[in-house]
Amino acid sequence: MANERVISIFQGLLEKTKELIEEKQITHEEYREFCLWFDELGRTGEIPLFMDVFFETHVLRGMYSGLPGTEPSLLGPYYIPNEPGLQAPYTLPQRQDEKGEVLFFTGNVKDIDGNPLQKADVYMWQADADGEYSHFADGIPEYNLRGKMKTDEDGRFTVKTVIPAPYQIPTGGPTGKFLTYIDSHPYRPAHLHFIIDVPGHDKLITQVFFEGDPWLETDVADGVRDSLITKLEKFDDHTKGSITFELRPA
Ligand code: MBD
Ligand code: FE
């Protein structure tokens, strides 16, 4: 990043913060309390969580508003690189007794003119049926419910997984405490995470949500976009869902 840009952004941040402190006449006691809370945010490792919950959506709105193609959504704090490459027919790595309803999810990857994009790299990760992510909760195997796939000759992939539960921000930590202070609930609607990467196109980082989820309207991280909501179809022993991803030219 150019030095001037760093300077201009950091100066803006400082100016607005200083102004706010004086405008709200923040008390010395409030200031001291904030310092302790901020320190706790760092010590508990929740800075990435707090940032993505409160600010990432605004970065995306600034970058992508009005552009054609599938809307990006939050990368969030829980992506882990080097996920296992899976072989078709795809099943996300899961425990033998993995809880939750079986979901067959199909993604159709296209360019903005509707042409299928073959051999796109598709990275997927999600919470389990308890709303927990592997690598961030105890007792879940490495790379559980995480994997890398490729689209077929029709620009499509289908993966067998389980329906994730809505995600709850840990309520005991500083981010959860902050949500209590501001009278906000700690939930994100259930979602699947995707990164779709194919040469010649803008890498798409997005999420897919499910119609009828109780937290769609009030997602604490404000990551929901209408075009990213899919309607699940229930069958006797499984559920199906699908969405079309349209990638912009690079
Ligand atoms: C999540 O699972 C998530 O996707 C985001 C953006 C923030 C917090 C938790
Ligand atoms: Fe998530």
Side-chain angles (χ1 to χ4, degrees):
M1 211 187 309
N3 195 27
E4 280 141 54
R5 186 154 165 83
V6 179
I7 292 170
S8 120
I9 292 170
F10 194 60
Q11 275 183 348
L13 179 69
L14 289 181
E15 261 164 42
K16 293 203 170 165
T17 307
K18 291 172 185 177
E19 255 173 50
L20 184 76
I21 291 173
E22 297 195 25
E23 182 201 310
K24 300 285 179 198
Q25 296 192 291
I26 289 178
T27 67
H28 196 240
E29 203 179 310
E30 286 166 341
Y31 167 75
R32 296 291 309 156
E33 197 176 322
F34 174 81
C35 291
L36 290 175
W37 172 85
F38 202 35
D39 186 40
E40 195 193 341
L41 193 65
R43 287 173 194 267
T44 53
E46 284 193 7
I47 289 177
L49 173 69
F50 187 85
M51 292 300 293
D52 292 349
V53 166
F54 286 98
F55 301 117
E56 191 183 2
T57 196
H58 300 284
V59 175
L60 299 180
R61 288 191 200 282
M63 287 177 77
Y64 297 105
S65 290
L67 295 183
T70 296
E71 289 172 277
S73 183
L74 313 167
L75 175 67
Y78 300 138
Y79 177 64
I80 299 281
N82 306 315
E83 58 276 82
L86 311 178
Q87 298 299 323
Y90 298 121
T91 299
L92 281 194
Q94 52 193 269
R95 291 160 282 190
Q96 239 157 30
D97 55 349
E98 190 71 44
K99 274 170 59 179
E101 276 179 66
V102 173
L103 170 65
F104 286 91
F105 185 82
T106 298
N108 284 292
V109 181
K110 300 183 175 186
D111 65 18
I112 54 172
D113 300 317
N115 305 304
L117 293 171
Q118 308 171 338
K119 292 187 185 160
D121 286 325
V122 176
Y123 304 84
M124 178 176 177
W125 70 105
Q126 63 169 90
D128 65 14
D130 293 321
E132 303 277 13
Y133 285 87
S134 59
H135 300 247
F136 296 92
D138 292 334
I140 306 180
E142 268 198 351
Y143 292 107
N144 203 60
L145 299 177
R146 298 172 183 271
K148 178 184 176 189
M149 301 171 276
K150 274 193 186 289
T151 56
D152 64 16
E153 54 280 8
D154 301 319
R156 191 172 303 185
F157 66 92
T158 292
V159 59
K160 183 183 179 197
T161 182
V162 295
I163 300 182
Y167 174 81
Q168 182 181 192
I169 309 270
T171 45
T175 308
K177 272 194 240 170
F178 184 79
L179 291 168
T180 312
Y181 295 149
I182 65 170
D183 272 336
S184 171
H185 70 69
Y187 288 97
R188 297 212 61 220
H191 56 279
L192 306 171
H193 287 269
F194 292 97
I195 297 175
I196 301 180
D197 199 7
V198 58
H201 297 266
D202 230 12
K203 179 160 81 176
L204 176 66
I205 301 174
T206 197
Q207 305 187 0
V208 172
F209 304 90
F210 309 122
E211 198 177 293
D213 189 294
W215 307 108
L216 285 176
E217 264 84 60
T218 59
D219 177 6
V220 66
D222 191 19
V224 180
R225 311 288 185 260
D226 286 348
S227 60
L228 301 176
I229 301 172
T230 181
K231 186 173 166 134
L232 294 178
E233 278 182 274
K234 304 262 172 199
F235 296 88
D236 281 349
D237 61 347
H238 67 282
T239 295
K240 278 187 180 175
S242 70
I243 207 149
T244 298
F245 298 106
E246 287 178 349
L247 272 62
R248 280 181 300 281

